[in-house]
Amino acid sequence: MILAALAIVAIAFGITGGDWLLTTVLSLGVIIVILLARARYCDFKETKYREWKKKNEYLQLKKENQLKLDNIRAKYGLEANVINYKLSKFFVAVESHSKLLINDKEYHFSDILNYSISDNSKTIYSSVVSKSETDAGNSIGRAIIGGILGGSAGAIVAGTTGDVTTITSGGESTIQHDYSIKVTVDSISNPLENIHLGTNVDATSRIGAILNVVLVRNRKNMIH
């Protein structure tokens, strides 16, 4: 770097005809331009590296996801209802064996005691973000599923919702959903399984519907 700077000074000295003031100004200008160009090039390389790393991590996750799916199919067969709601995240229902796979843990239908669905959504405005949270017991779970599957009428039939607090402001808005399902299981050491589904409304409705069926069957079995 020092040799390069001396070379620039020598060239500038020749161009300016030996004027040291002009030589200094010209040399500094050239050095600054070179340093800025080098910094931008380093930023460009760093950005490309991050993009390459992110892409490779995603491809690796996809491979792991496919391997996990193949293992699930091999263990439970093609009849299994497999919901791949995120990369490497599966909810599996096997009706013939009365089994559920939740967070890589296997449960019998009879282990499922209750569930709830929450939507910690964000209402995004042109300049303001407000949050609304909904979280109640099994009735809210049924209500959200009813709303997803059958619209507002479905929600009324399925159950009643809990209190919702929403702070709004003027301007256009969009709602960014963030769904989670909390499943209470028959276990003292680990009684709660949390399934975070994010914006995946399809998986939320499908998993909620399956859990509804399981709870109905459990109640019928208790009666008999």
Side-chain angles (χ1 to χ4, degrees), residues 5-204:
L6 290 174
I8 291 170
V9 171
I11 294 171
F13 188 78
I15 293 172
T16 60
D19 189 320
W20 279 108
L21 179 60
L22 290 177
T23 297
T24 302
V25 172
L26 182 58
S27 299
L28 288 174
V30 172
I31 290 171
I32 290 171
V33 169
I34 291 173
L35 291 175
L36 289 174
R38 184 179 179 184
R40 292 196 63 180
Y41 176 71
C42 290
D43 288 342
F44 174 78
K45 282 182 65 178
E46 180 65 24
T47 300
K48 287 297 180 183
Y49 173 74
R50 284 197 299 265
E51 290 175 355
W52 172 84
K53 185 178 179 182
K54 187 176 180 180
K55 182 179 179 181
N56 276 270
E57 287 174 349
Y58 174 74
L59 292 174
Q60 182 62 33
L61 283 173
K62 283 193 71 175
K63 283 184 180 179
E64 292 174 1
N65 187 81
Q66 186 60 48
L67 179 61
K68 200 169 182 180
L69 178 59
D70 291 342
N71 290 335
I72 289 171
R73 290 297 188 194
K75 182 176 181 179
Y76 297 108
L78 295 176
E79 65 165 320
N81 188 350
V82 181
I83 301 174
N84 190 182
Y85 56 92
K86 284 183 182 179
L87 280 176
S88 296
K89 297 290 184 181
F90 295 87
F91 178 93
V92 182
V94 189
E95 187 163 14
S96 61
H97 294 84
S98 298
K99 296 284 187 180
L100 293 177
L101 190 69
I102 305 173
N103 294 334
D104 296 327
K105 284 172 270 188
E106 193 174 84
Y107 294 99
H108 192 273
F109 282 2
S110 60
D111 293 326
I112 307 304
L113 303 180
N114 208 336
Y115 84 95
S116 65
I117 296 178
S118 62
D119 179 12
N120 297 321
S121 61
K122 288 181 181 179
T123 305
I124 303 175
Y125 298 88
S126 55
S127 59
V128 180
V129 177
S130 65
K131 292 185 178 180
S132 62
E133 295 188 0
T134 304
D135 197 352
N138 191 42
S139 62
I140 180 63
R142 292 196 299 272
I144 292 179
I145 286 299
I148 292 171
L149 296 178
S152 58
I156 294 171
V157 172
T160 57
T161 60
D163 294 333
V164 179
T165 302
T166 306
I167 302 172
T168 60
S169 180
E172 295 183 1
S173 65
T174 57
I175 297 176
Q176 185 179 38
H177 295 285
D178 186 18
Y179 295 109
S180 291
I181 298 179
K182 294 180 176 65
V183 185
T184 305
V185 297
D186 189 9
S187 171
I188 297 297
S189 60
N190 185 34
L192 191 65
E193 292 288 355
N194 184 56
I195 308 169
H196 182 241
L197 298 126
T199 59
N200 196 335
V201 65
D202 178 66
T204 303

